[in-house]
Amino acid sequence: MTEEAGIAIGDGIATITLDNPPVNALGAGLRGALMTALGAALHDPGVQVIVLTAAGRTWPAGADIREFGRPPEAPSLPELCQAVAGSAKPVIAALHGMVLGGGLELALAARVRLAEPGTELGLPEVTLGILPGAGGTQRLPRLIGAKRALGLMLSGLPIGAARAEELGLVDAVTEGGSAAAAERLARAYLAGEAELPEVEEQRRRVDPGAWLLAVAAARSGLGDPQLPAPGRIIDCVEAALLLPEDEGFAFERAAFEDLVATSEAAALRHAFLAERRAAKQPDLAHVKPREIHNVGVVGGGLMGAGIATALLGAGCSVTLVERDGEALAAGLARVATHHERAVAKGRLSPEAREAEWARLAGATGLAALAGSDLVIEAAYEDEAVKAGIFAELDRVARPGAVLATNTSYLDVNRIAAATARPGDVIGLHFFSPVQAMRLVEVVVGAETAPDVIASAFALARRIGKVAVRAGVCDGFIGNRILTAYRTAADFLLEDGASPYEIDRAMVAWGFPAGPYQVLDMAGLDISWARRRRLAATRDPARRYVAIGDRLCEAGRLGRKAGKGYYLYPERAWQGVEDPDVLALIAAEREARGIVAREVTAAEIQDRVLAAMANEGARILEEGIAARPSDIDLVMLLGYGFPRWRGGPMLAADQAGLLALRKRLVDYAREEEAFWRPAALWEELIKNGRKFADLND
Ligand code: TC6
């Protein structure tokens, strides 16, 4: 990393160029270099105007996220921003790329901001559980008004250059490069041909009544948030109006320091970095992915149509294959519906839709896939069905085509064995609905070729998904942990908790829905079919809770049947509690000689976390996942695990490995096979390490 702030002086203008690839994050090195360059410009009597610009693809995209949680290094970002704001010589910020977080705060400290078309500006700190702590909460409302400033800071979403100009966040959007425009403005100013906006003038826009109203409205809109950052942002904006300027900055700083030290902020940082880390596959660093343009999708159901839509959006040509004309028409209609919704929401232009539609073909036989570079099979989840498809694909697909299965549980090696080219076969486990879910598990078989794995990662990135590598086992990473979660919940159900208590406990813990609500939504028959598939190989000595089977036998297949764990009068979206289910559970307990005991919400949460983290530890030991953060990412992106808890492995670190292992040992007295702690716990504890230490 260069971490430089080069300075070039000429004609009264000092141009300082920030250079810290890839995103010019404002780490200690760059901050120090900028402070030095600024000092040089201020001390040079020949310099009258300072232009601040950035090399590479972007203006600083923020503070360096990796530095949070470590001892601070001078100069701090607030000190740097104060130095820019207090500069006796006007500073013109020439913006491009992603002007985010601390990067936007640095720009806000300048006297003038010029942007290029395509520049995006935002304050995403709230998504990291913190707030703009380098003057942003104080300067932004003065510049664009409290209401709009709160909108930007509470949503964390960026806005485009044109909108930023409308709001007064940038002074002008200029063609031909912002650095060149800044230099032109500086020259014109020095020649007395142009004026620079006065900071004081901007402050005169303040309307205290509107400001306080915006603060009150934002507060009442907060509801009962699980995270503290939004409330603290609003407090800071209020302080910007009510306190003297220097006290406002100090107020903001104190709030930032509180937030950055919370476990929630640590978890959100972990989630951000986990996403980037998952893409790093050291064994593939020099492997070239195969070219993928033409893709065949086998199966036009919800999954297949969703996958086809995503591929079309990324510029691929797609052939959708179904078993007959009727099923094909239905599959194509699903893609058309996705397109219509995207157009209605303004995410796709009608022209782009036409172009995408023109790249879509339909067929009723696999022979149509002879020219495909990649085939993704998204047929019925049954090994014999999938093996049959792969055997035929082996006959029709061109040599070198990547053959992928979208299985969510099945053995990719056995599916690959149906072909004479297992090196070309891989699992691509998409999540439903494909357009909303960013996760893809890339399931690598025993013989999958490195360039096939690299192709899967490249494709995932191209279609805007986050790929996580997984090995072959029943359920890979995500569904395996989900099974452990549900097993722990089922034990509690049989021991005395109601499904409603368990759901409420997990929602209170941060999941969007509890395990039984999710089962009802997905349909109880899906997991029932899987249990029946595995029945022959189940260890009879292991505890087996049959409540789910009893519900299915009683026709309670979930929401689609109007009843499952909950009752859905007239197919209501939200289920209501059902005494019949409680009676069925009570009967099941009685049949097994179990006397219901009291189960608290805390016990439910503790057991579920212990079960998930223990399964995660086993997954690591078996090499199914390469790193704990990959497991966390799968659970965050695919299973509704609360992002601010960072995933099961980080949550285990935060709960304390010793304490969690002790719990597992205690639980193992009830059910040894399920609860026995993986050996990894002991190894980490004895060496004073955490799961997070295994990430890099
Ligand atoms: C803040 O500023 C608070 C201020 C208050 C201070 C008091 N730090 O995402 P990509 C790395 S909070 C460190 O793959 P893209 C990233 O890890 C911050 N590193 O690229 C990756 O590294 P790797 C507010 C960062 O083109 C590489 O850059 N800012 C940071 O898909 C490429 O990243 C944000 O929240 C960072 N801030 O997207 C913005 N940002 O190659 C966070 C990136 O070693 N960043 N890296 O794996 C983003 O949203 C995106 O990175 C992007 C570029 C849109 C800038």
Side-chain angles (χ1 to χ4, degrees):
M1 259 188 215
T2 46
E3 299 202 52
E4 278 173 4
I7 180 163
I9 297 176
D11 301 335
I13 304 166
T15 301
I16 301 175
T17 305
L18 304 171
D19 192 4
N20 181 21
V23 299
N24 282 312
L26 287 157
L30 186 61
R31 294 197 305 270
L34 174 53
M35 199 63 131
T36 305
L38 195 64
L42 289 172
H43 280 102
D44 187 329
V47 172
Q48 287 165 278
V49 183
I50 300 166
V51 170
L52 200 50
T53 180
R57 61 182 167 119
T58 183
W59 176 266
D64 188 336
I65 292 174
R66 293 180 172 87
E67 279 182 4
F68 293 146
R70 296 196 201 145
E73 270 184 73
S76 70
L77 197 54
E79 282 162 0
L80 190 60
C81 290
Q82 287 299 20
V84 171
S87 162
K89 302 174 184 180
V91 178
I92 305 175
L95 313 177
H96 75 288
M98 301 300 291
V99 181
L100 300 177
L104 180 53
E105 293 183 281
L106 177 65
L108 283 170
R111 174 93 165 261
V112 186
R113 283 159 293 283
L114 302 181
E116 300 175 1
T119 307
E120 292 194 44
L121 303 93
L123 291 166
E125 284 86 343
V126 71
T127 65
L128 294 167
I130 54 174
L131 52 73
T137 65
Q138 309 297 292
R139 292 196 174 97
L140 188 63
R142 284 185 196 129
L143 191 62
I144 66 170
K147 188 173 168 197
R148 285 159 169 173
L150 281 164
L152 276 181
M153 290 189 280
L154 294 175
S155 75
L157 295 173
I159 54 171
R163 176 74 183 138
E165 188 179 12
E166 265 170 41
L167 296 184
L169 180 50
V170 298
D171 298 286
V173 181
T174 53
E175 301 284 343
S178 59
E183 204 176 307
R184 278 198 304 278
L185 177 63
R187 284 184 195 286
Y189 169 69
L190 290 177
E193 292 161 6
E195 296 207 354
L196 303 181
E198 283 299 331
V199 176
E200 283 309 312
E201 244 175 50
Q202 291 165 348
R203 288 188 190 164
R204 256 179 251 133
R205 292 180 200 166
V206 168
D207 169 353
W211 191 304
L212 288 174
L213 263 177
V215 165
R219 243 183 220 134
S220 68
L222 271 185
D224 182 20
Q226 277 171 312
L227 288 175
R232 302 298 292 267
I233 288 173
I234 300 171
D235 294 346
C236 287
V237 171
E238 185 178 40
L241 177 75
L242 300 182
L243 299 182
E245 191 176 290
D246 53 343
E247 285 180 34
F249 283 119
F251 187 93
E252 176 198 80
R253 191 68 201 154
F256 174 84
E257 275 164 10
D258 279 354
L259 290 176
V260 83
T262 58
S263 59
E264 290 91 344
L268 291 166
R269 286 197 293 278
H270 168 77
F272 175 88
L273 295 172
E275 224 170 89
R276 273 80 196 160
R277 197 180 294 122
K280 292 195 176 27
Q281 299 294 324
D283 60 324
L284 304 177
H286 304 292
V287 178
K288 197 167 165 279
R290 297 183 189 175
E291 295 270 329
I292 291 176
H293 303 292
N294 298 315
V295 186
V297 176
V298 182
L302 276 184
M303 265 303 179
I307 294 168
T309 310
L311 291 163
L312 290 167
C316 296
S317 294
V318 176
T319 305
L320 190 67
V321 176
E322 260 294 359
R323 59 184 178 283
D324 56 39
E326 199 182 323
L328 177 62
L332 294 173
R334 284 191 188 99
V335 177
T337 307
H338 290 319
H339 279 165
E340 267 158 39
R341 287 204 194 118
V343 171
K345 287 189 176 158
R347 283 190 275 112
L348 189 69
S349 69
E351 300 74 39
R353 174 184 43 192
E354 291 312 308
E356 288 191 19
W357 192 252
R359 279 188 272 107
L360 176 64
T364 51
L366 294 178
L369 305 182
S372 297
D373 307 314
L374 160 70
V375 178
I376 303 177
E377 164 277 317
Y380 186 66
E381 184 78 348
D382 176 277
E383 191 178 311
V385 171
K386 290 190 190 276
I389 292 172
F390 273 75
E392 199 179 336
L393 283 175
D394 193 23
R395 285 191 288 278
V396 301
R398 70 163 178 76
V402 175
L403 306 180
T405 170
N406 175 49
T407 178
S408 36
Y409 282 98
L410 298 175
D411 186 329
V412 173
N413 291 329
R414 297 220 316 229
I415 294 172
T419 73
R421 40 171 129 175
D424 292 338
V425 177
I426 195 161
L428 285 181
H429 178 208
F430 286 86
F431 288 72
S432 186
V434 178
Q435 58 278 20
M437 304 293 282
R438 291 169 59 224
L439 178 67
V440 180
E441 276 181 304
V442 172
V443 187
V444 175
E447 296 190 49
T448 308
D451 64 342
V452 170
I453 312 171
S455 307
F457 272 86
L459 181 83
R461 185 159 177 104
R462 210 166 129 199
I463 60 176
K465 306 282 178 219
V466 176
V468 177
R469 184 167 174 167
V472 176
C473 66
D474 192 75
F476 320 127
I477 298 174
N479 279 339
R480 198 168 142 178
I481 293 190
L482 178 67
T483 301
Y485 173 11
R486 287 182 175 162
T487 303
D490 275 354
F491 288 173
L492 287 163
L493 195 61
E494 207 173 47
D495 286 344
S498 79
Y500 318 121
E501 285 164 340
I502 294 173
D503 281 349
R504 277 196 296 272
M506 295 322 295
V507 169
W509 202 73
F511 277 88
Y516 299 105
Q517 289 166 320
V518 173
L519 275 166
D520 268 6
M521 246 178 287
L524 266 56
D525 45 336
I526 296 180
S527 42
W528 191 29
R530 185 168 166 267
R531 288 195 297 277
R532 281 183 295 181
R533 171 166 67 78
L534 296 176
T537 52
R538 187 181 306 125
D539 176 357
R542 289 186 77 147
R543 180 174 177 185
Y544 180 76
V545 178
I547 294 168
D549 298 349
R550 298 289 102 83
L551 286 169
C552 290
E553 287 154 12
R556 307 192 66 115
L557 300 182
R559 204 182 70 86
K560 63 184 173 189
K563 54 187 181 174
Y565 284 94
Y566 293 77
L567 205 56
Y568 300 85
E570 288 161 32
R571 303 280 154 94
W573 191 251
Q574 283 286 344
V576 292
E577 301 184 9
D578 186 350
D580 287 355
V581 170
L582 299 178
L584 185 148
I585 296 171
E588 193 61 22
R589 281 184 201 128
E590 206 181 315
R592 304 212 168 203
I594 295 171
V595 178
R597 67 174 176 84
E598 198 67 34
V599 179
T600 64
E603 181 184 352
I604 295 168
Q605 295 158 350
D606 285 351
R607 283 189 182 245
V608 163
L609 174 62
M612 289 173 115
N614 196 34
E615 196 62 25
R618 289 179 183 154
I619 283 173
L620 287 168
E621 281 178 356
E622 293 167 28
I624 299 297
R627 351 168 152 93
S629 66
D630 283 357
I631 296 176
D632 285 340
L633 198 53
V634 167
M635 300 318 290
L636 295 178
L637 297 185
Y639 297 84
F641 200 102
R643 193 169 170 94
W644 52 273
R645 290 196 187 268
M649 309 320 285
L650 187 86
D653 278 348
Q654 291 187 341
L657 300 197
L658 192 60
L660 257 177
R661 186 178 183 282
K662 179 172 181 316
R663 260 189 237 150
L664 286 166
V665 170
D666 291 345
Y667 302 153
R669 289 196 196 103
E670 303 158 11
E671 224 293 330
E672 158 75 11
F674 180 72
W675 288 111
R676 185 182 48 242
L680 187 55
W681 294 91
E682 186 62 38
E683 198 184 311
L684 289 172
I685 291 165
K686 133 178 130 214
N687 294 307
R689 302 180 80 201
K690 293 177 162 198
F691 286 112
D693 295 322
L694 305 178
N695 282 332
D696 292 311

